[in-house]
Amino acid sequence: MSDTETEIEEQAPEKLPLDAWHRAQGGRMVPFAGYEMPIQYEGIKAEHDWTRSSASLFDVSHMGQLSVSGDNAAQELEKLLPNGIANLGEGKMRYSLLLNDEGGIIDDLIVTNAGPHLALVVNGACKWDDIAHLREHLPDEITLTHYDDFALLALQGPKAAEVLESIIPGVGDLTFMTAGLFKFKDQHVWVSRAGYTGEDGFEISIHEGHVETLANALVADERVKPAGLGARDSLRLEAALPLYGHDLTLETDPVSAGLTFAIAKARRETGGYLGHAATISRLDGGNTHTRIGLALEGRQPAREGALVYSSDEQVGHVTSGGFSPTLGHPIAMAYVQNPYCEMGTDLEIEVRGKRLPAKTVPFPFVPHKYHRKGA
């Protein structure tokens, strides 16, 4: 076999546990993050609108599901993450970042105190690099486990709670960014009240051998329809949630990305995590660009890579963009030089040789509807 043939074989996308199920549901499959993933079923706008009004089922089994365990596991993990982990209560979840020495973002992730261990959900496209990074930096006494035989489903939308409660009793008691162990047809499932659409919703981790039964039970409810990557992307863009590989990369950092909430206040000066020196320098005014939101006039969207101008000066570039079905006009996220970040600033985005008027607007573009404690 030639090197080229070997390379093609190595790069062939993997199949999700629900691959045949997606195709039977009419899903159009495309390569994404090393997997064949459904991009849409009945159409991106229809799936987007259904998620906003009812509940949609997304398959996010390409994500990496990991656990870190052992004595002082939280303290050791804190040496790699800029926020607090040791003070995370059981069943509580926290957004965090893996950083390199220069403060560049290796990945963003969710950490959960699952009791016997810390559960990590990392991006599918980076999970193998994340695993290598964690194994390199965690002591040998700390156990890192990759649950590659588990699927992950996301049920998102205003009716997600009442639907899931009818199938998995007790999940309705969870609030945003909390999680717990439940049972579905005598099988243990790990359910978190979280997601990536800005809507209320859940993520359900289940062994791949039982995921089809769960998927069938969910779409048997008339309030639930399957949705693909296309709607997931337009929803997360409206929610202003950054996407790794686009809005976040090794060349971006927590300060420029507007993610300083992921740096524990107590550790901003004291440090103790990889990338602290570079991060504190940017916190002290060393960053030059900031991730901002832009609302465009007309209907033509600006895509990733489009350049942002103030008069004749290029002042930034778009990292995510598209037409907002909810707002009825195009929106974009961009990194722009700090003097041009003030809300209401008039800028222009170059699309196919034409300058489109745009104005800086606050995040999120569409308000989040998370089910928070006390709500």
Side-chain angles (χ1 to χ4, degrees), residues 320-361:
S320 287
F323 190 86
S324 166
T326 304
L327 299 174
H329 61 75
I331 55 176
M333 289 194 280
Y335 281 86
V336 170
Q337 293 176 23
N338 288 344
Y340 301 95
C341 293
E342 186 175 344
M343 291 301 104
T345 301
D346 289 316
L347 297 170
E348 292 180 324
I349 305 177
E350 187 170 280
V351 178
R352 297 178 181 176
K354 181 181 178 182
R355 298 279 182 87
L356 304 179
K359 188 182 291 290
T360 57
V361 295

Side-chain angles (χ1 to χ4, degrees), residues 91-294:
K92 301 293 181 59
M93 309 167 65
R94 188 161 289 162
Y95 177 85
S96 195
L97 300 162
L98 273 178
L99 305 177
N100 61 17
D101 280 329
E102 292 75 38
I105 299 174
I106 297 172
D107 198 3
D108 62 342
L109 69 161
I110 297 289
V111 183
T112 305
N113 181 345
H117 61 264
L118 295 162
L120 278 59
V121 177
V122 302
N123 281 293
C126 338
K127 62 185 174 187
W128 296 112
D129 289 339
D130 293 350
I131 289 170
H133 179 82
L134 290 165
R135 288 201 188 281
E136 177 185 355
H137 291 282
L138 290 173
D140 293 341
E141 296 76 22
I142 299 298
T143 300
L144 177 66
T145 304
H146 179 202
Y147 297 98
D148 58 354
D149 55 349
F150 272 70
L152 189 65
L153 300 181
L155 186 68
Q156 302 282 293
K159 297 182 181 177
E162 58 191 56
V163 170
L164 197 61
E165 176 70 26
S166 69
I167 296 172
I168 306 176
V171 297
D173 293 334
L174 294 174
T175 55
F176 181 59
M177 296 297 276
T178 65
L181 191 64
F182 296 86
K183 277 200 168 181
F184 168 70
K185 294 188 181 297
D186 296 328
Q187 298 295 323
H188 286 298
V189 291
W190 182 255
V191 181
S192 57
R193 198 154 192 170
Y196 207 57
T197 63
E199 291 288 336
D200 182 25
F202 302 83
E203 292 187 342
I204 310 120
S205 176
I206 184 170
H207 191 274
E208 61 183 7
H210 305 287
V211 65
E212 185 169 342
T213 304
L214 176 59
N216 283 334
L218 289 168
V219 298
D221 190 308
E222 62 181 10
R223 295 167 290 186
V224 179
K225 292 182 179 180
L229 290 173
R232 179 174 163 86
D233 192 56
S234 58
L235 289 158
R236 73 93 196 166
L237 177 59
E238 288 184 347
L241 299 172
L243 179 63
Y244 196 82
H246 302 265
D247 312 297
L248 306 178
T249 67
L250 285 172
E251 283 68 47
T252 63
D253 62 88
V255 180
S256 301
L259 301 176
T260 53
F261 69 89
I263 307 170
K265 290 182 180 178
R267 307 185 78 202
R268 294 187 182 190
E269 296 297 332
T270 59
Y273 60 89
L274 199 64
H276 169 254
T279 302
I280 194 68
S281 172
R282 295 186 179 103
L283 280 168
D284 288 340
N287 78 308
T288 59
H289 291 66
T290 300
R291 181 173 64 98
I292 62 162
L294 290 167

Side-chain angles (χ1 to χ4, degrees), residues 68-79 118 138-139 141-142:
V68 176
S69 59
D71 292 341
N72 298 316
Q75 288 77 8
E76 294 298 336
L77 190 58
E78 272 191 350
K79 296 176 183 176
L118 295 162
L138 290 173
E141 296 76 22
I142 299 298

